Amino acid sequence: MAICFTIFALALDFEVSSADASVVDSPEFVSIGLKFSGAAAELSNVKSEDDICIAAFDDYGEEFIFNIAENDIAASRDTYYHIQLEEEFDDASDVLQIIDDMDIEGAYPYFDGKDWYLNIGRFGDEDSANEELDDLEDDGLEYDADVVMADGTDILITYREDAVLGYDSSKDIVIKSLSNLPIWIDGKRYRGGAVFRRMSDGKITVINRVRLEEYLYGVVPNEAYTTWPIESLKAQAVAARNYTVISMGKHKSEGFDLCGTTHCQMYGGYGTERSSTNRAVEETRGKFMTYDGKVVSAFFHSNSGGRTEDSENVWSAELPYIRGVEDEYSVGEPKSSWNAQFTSEQVRSKLSAAGVDIGDIEDMKIGSLSENGRVTELEVIGSYGEKTLQKDAIRKTFGYNVLMSTYFSMSSKPTEAAQKNMSVLSANNKTSLDMSSLKMVSSDRRVSSVKSGEGISVISAYSSQKITPEPQKMEQFTFEGKGWGHGLGMSQWGARKMAELGYGYEDILKHYYTGVEIEE
Ligand SMILES: [Zn+2]
């Protein structure tokens, strides 16, 4: 099932990246958005089988900072006033030592990304924080302290309601298991760690920071059937690795690299991993498909229907490695054919939803086909206008789930009313005839049909009158299609068939992606 959804997402949203990533730029870690923008969290929960710690990170690694020493914590926005000792500390252990010595309730360490501080309490307003500070000073507080307000990027980590750590989430800090075990983030298990960012809306963007190859463990089983032959899974793993690197900047403004949904790649984390797909990732570790030394956009789809397509015939970019190829491996496999029907009324409402109003739909015609046989132009004729749908917009308008591909032929059925009638008067009654079925017999006995728009002349005793049938209006359109998806790059069902026939993953990739190399 996951396969279908992925393909629609790719077709919907993918923009061809102009930034060519070179193989050597492959990232060690990726940041995957789990909860963001409208779905950003008020609170996020992290659990681990061992202690939870924090580490500073960069593109290449992680450096341990502090052991929170609990295994079930919650992260929330820090919107409070706190009492804060003026002294800065180099080390969290110094702060913890003072907390132990002071024995003050509600004290916890705060990290600004560089120095450590000692915070006390959470106060909804400044006055109550000041009152508490006065009381502490009256009770003999040995340190100079101020009341501070949390920054808009501060996060508070609590264990059973008690604050155990505060930190500035605009710094690169990851929350993870002390011994690198997979952790639960809001009930789902992931490798790597959790990164919390407070973006402009103030809520918490929840991110899973994970090594690229471990991320792919959680992607490939969601993009392919895990029971498929290993070589087809390996081809899928390389395609997913390519896709990841090409898409790295996609969510930069939201604070992470890729999202975990079909918008980027469906990522299910540790809980969705399977041994077959982990093996496929392992056996292709670090391998990318390149063209001219650059990592390529490895588009794939469910079934080509027998021939793949050139990239510019679906979207606009002309990619030298996404060329239409004969694909006998997909023929007869699942998803290789489909059909769909629309009434003229349904066509009108589909167009209307796309912001196009050309009145009642009277006809639809295939305007042009690509060399590979896919429809690149579909002309729609309305009662007061015409609209030509092009390339991917054809499926977008009718629905990616209904028009499974642009590899189709179409037939139409005229309306009852459009079957033009004429009346023939007899001596005593009137009979209606369907003009389209009317035949004329000329004086030399040749039989011909009445052509639409031409009409016939009827000569009576007194006058001659021309009868012209109106152009036919169509009320139903039937699409007969081949394949499923946009038809660019690898056909998944074709890849499966190739693997079954004994081809290796490199053969599969080189069949579907023109002129590519497999490089590390
Ligand atoms: Zn995304």
Side-chain angles (χ1 to χ4, degrees):
M1 284 305 115
I3 292 178
C4 340
F5 289 115
T6 303
I7 282 129
F8 301 139
L10 285 174
L12 271 167
D13 254 300
F14 199 92
E15 286 164 28
V16 174
S17 172
S18 56
D20 288 313
S22 97
V23 176
V24 289
D25 287 342
S26 132
E28 181 72 25
F29 289 85
V30 291
S31 292
I32 311 301
L34 303 179
K35 294 183 175 180
F36 55 96
S37 59
E42 299 276 349
L43 188 91
S44 182
N45 180 263
V46 175
K47 286 184 188 175
S48 173
E49 281 172 9
D50 63 345
D51 281 351
I52 293 168
C53 70
I54 64 169
F57 66 80
D58 57 25
D59 290 346
Y60 307 101
E62 289 167 350
E63 190 187 343
F64 171 84
I65 297 178
F66 175 62
N67 186 0
I68 297 173
E70 304 291 355
N71 63 5
D72 181 0
I73 58 101
S76 58
R77 304 186 265 184
D78 189 350
T79 55
Y80 301 101
Y81 289 86
H82 308 281
I83 295 163
Q84 186 173 75
L85 301 195
E86 283 178 8
E87 194 172 345
E88 292 169 2
F89 303 89
D90 294 335
D91 219 310
S93 60
D94 299 336
V95 178
L96 294 175
Q97 187 60 55
I98 294 170
I99 290 173
D100 258 10
D101 294 347
M102 288 199 309
D103 193 24
I104 295 175
E105 210 174 307
Y108 64 92
Y110 172 83
F111 184 57
D112 73 355
K114 181 170 164 283
D115 296 309
W116 287 90
Y117 298 83
L118 193 157
N119 280 8
I120 302 165
R122 280 173 274 175
F123 305 92
D125 59 80
E126 197 170 4
D127 288 347
S128 39
N130 275 316
E131 271 174 38
E132 179 66 22
L133 178 55
D134 288 346
D135 287 351
L136 286 174
E137 283 169 345
D138 289 348
D139 289 349
L141 183 70
E142 293 171 29
Y143 300 85
D144 291 330
D146 301 311
V147 166
V148 297
M149 197 191 144
D151 279 342
T153 51
D154 280 346
I155 294 262
L156 198 62
I157 301 292
T158 52
Y159 170 70
R160 295 183 181 165
E161 305 291 311
D162 291 335
V164 289
L165 172 72
Y167 71 95
D168 180 355
S169 69
S170 69
K171 303 302 188 300
D172 291 333
I173 291 169
V174 58
I175 291 180
K176 52 185 287 194
S177 136
L178 189 61
S179 44
N180 286 314
L181 298 172
I183 54 169
W184 284 267
I185 304 174
D186 296 325
K188 267 180 94 174
R189 212 160 180 203
Y190 298 92
R191 292 180 188 263
V195 176
F196 300 116
R197 303 255 190 222
R198 288 183 62 187
M199 306 307 286
S200 54
D201 64 354
K203 285 191 184 177
I204 301 174
T205 294
V206 181
I207 298 159
N208 176 211
R209 177 181 148 83
V210 56
R211 286 179 190 278
L212 170 63
E213 299 293 329
E214 295 183 343
Y215 160 65
L216 295 174
Y217 288 166
V219 168
V220 181
N222 295 287
E223 303 274 354
Y225 291 100
T226 57
T227 53
W228 279 10
I230 186 70
E231 292 302 315
S232 63
L233 296 180
K234 284 159 77 172
Q236 192 75 48
V238 175
R241 189 177 292 109
N242 268 52
Y243 186 91
T244 306
V245 170
I246 287 284
S247 309
M248 282 298 282
K250 231 171 156 183
H251 288 278
K252 197 174 178 188
S253 65
E254 291 159 295
F256 51 92
D257 300 319
L258 287 86
C259 70
T261 74
T262 55
H263 173 261
C264 288
Q265 292 191 113
M266 190 65 198
Y267 170 58
Y270 185 74
T272 62
E273 290 181 14
R274 294 293 176 270
S275 57
S276 60
T277 42
N278 281 13
R279 180 184 155 201
V281 172
E282 273 312 306
E283 291 185 3
T284 60
R285 176 174 277 271
K287 287 196 160 66
F288 291 91
M289 240 188 311
T290 63
Y291 182 92
D292 220 3
K294 303 281 198 291
V295 174
V296 307
S297 297
F299 303 117
F300 61 89
H301 57 278
S302 184
N303 188 313
S304 73
R307 189 167 178 90
T308 68
E309 185 53 276
D310 301 343
S311 57
E312 67 273 22
N313 291 333
V314 177
W315 298 316
S316 53
E318 189 177 330
L319 303 172
Y321 48 86
I322 305 285
R323 300 292 93 196
V325 296
E326 272 306 312
D327 185 29
E328 67 272 25
Y329 308 109
S330 290
V331 178
E333 296 298 311
K335 321 285 187 201
S336 60
S337 67
W338 55 272
N339 61 69
Q341 277 197 343
F342 295 91
T343 63
S344 53
E345 199 49 48
Q346 287 170 323
V347 175
R348 182 176 184 166
S349 79
K350 293 281 181 193
L351 285 177
S352 167
V356 177
D357 180 14
I358 52 172
D360 289 335
I361 304 307
E362 299 187 338
D363 204 358
M364 269 202 300
K365 289 182 175 124
I366 289 172
S368 65
L369 293 176
S370 74
E371 285 174 17
N372 298 297
R374 278 168 208 261
V375 177
T376 52
E377 287 188 340
L378 183 68
E379 293 167 2
V380 192
I381 296 123
S383 56
Y384 49 80
E386 294 189 13
K387 172 72 184 175
T388 301
L389 297 171
Q390 293 185 317
K391 304 178 185 180
D392 187 57
I394 300 169
R395 290 184 66 211
K396 191 175 183 182
T397 304
F398 284 90
Y400 291 105
N401 297 344
V402 187
L403 225 53
M404 300 302 194
S405 70
T406 52
Y407 203 176
F408 61 77
S409 61
M410 196 194 69
S411 60
S412 50
K413 193 181 119 201
T415 57
E416 291 288 326
Q419 292 166 9
K420 296 298 153 241
N421 291 337
M422 65 182 287
S423 296
V424 177
L425 291 177
S426 66
N428 51 8
N429 66 358
K430 190 173 153 183
T431 308
S432 197
L433 293 176
D434 177 356
M435 245 173 96
S436 61
S437 65
L438 205 63
K439 302 282 186 265
M440 292 186 294
V441 182
S442 64
S443 55
D444 60 358
R445 294 180 178 272
R446 278 188 304 183
V447 178
S448 59
S449 303
V450 178
K451 289 193 183 105
S452 173
E454 263 180 15
I456 54 170
S457 291
V458 180
I459 302 163
S460 70
Y462 312 102
S463 66
S464 160
Q465 193 187 356
K466 185 161 175 159
I467 303 168
T468 310
E470 284 177 34
Q472 289 198 330
K473 287 182 189 169
M474 300 297 166
E475 68 174 358
Q476 192 154 56
F477 305 93
T478 302
F479 294 81
E480 299 258 352
K482 290 193 267 187
W484 197 0
H486 48 56
L488 303 184
M490 181 169 67
S491 159
Q492 293 182 301
W493 282 100
R496 173 184 168 276
K497 183 73 182 178
M498 286 185 77
E500 252 179 25
L501 293 171
Y503 289 101
Y505 78 97
E506 296 201 21
D507 302 323
I508 295 172
L509 294 172
K510 286 177 177 179
H511 169 64
Y512 288 111
Y513 302 95
T514 305
V516 297
E517 297 296 330
I518 314 298
E519 292 187 71
E520 277 188 59

